[in-house]
Amino acid sequence: MEKVIAILNSLKSGVDFTTAEGIVTNKIIDSIDIASMISMIEDEFNVEITMEYMENKNFDSAQAIWEMVQDLQDA
């Protein structure tokens, strides 16, 4: 989870991503940030985020991103 938060912090400073909710829905991060984040997550965790995971709910908080990464690693 710490690595997910580090990735988010590298994209947007000044946000407490440990507690932030709705980071996509509330436009805290934009589509360019999301594209960068996906690439960083795939590289960091050696996973491939497929189209079935491309939903706002999977990116709306650090916890949601972490759960998605865990699902991908278990697959």
Side-chain angles (χ1 to χ4, degrees), residues 47-73:
V47 295
E48 181 181 352
I49 300 174
T50 58
M51 287 306 296
E52 69 185 273
Y53 287 94
M54 297 292 182
E55 298 180 41
N56 284 354
K57 69 177 185 171
N58 290 325
F59 298 96
D60 242 359
S61 68
Q63 183 64 41
I65 296 166
W66 178 239
E67 290 172 7
M68 176 185 62
V69 166
Q70 290 178 310
D71 284 349
L72 291 166
Q73 288 177 328

Side-chain angles (χ1 to χ4, degrees), residues 8-51:
L8 290 167
N9 284 329
S10 74
L11 296 171
K12 186 78 64 176
S13 62
V15 178
D16 181 4
F17 286 109
T18 58
T19 59
E21 298 276 332
I23 60 176
V24 173
T25 304
N26 296 326
K27 299 182 181 11
I28 295 170
I29 59 173
D30 60 24
S31 58
I32 294 170
D33 294 329
I34 294 168
S36 296
M37 176 180 55
I38 288 170
S39 176
M40 294 166 82
I41 289 170
E42 289 179 333
D43 290 345
E44 179 67 38
F45 296 102
N46 195 31
V47 295
E48 181 181 352
I49 300 174
T50 58
M51 287 306 296

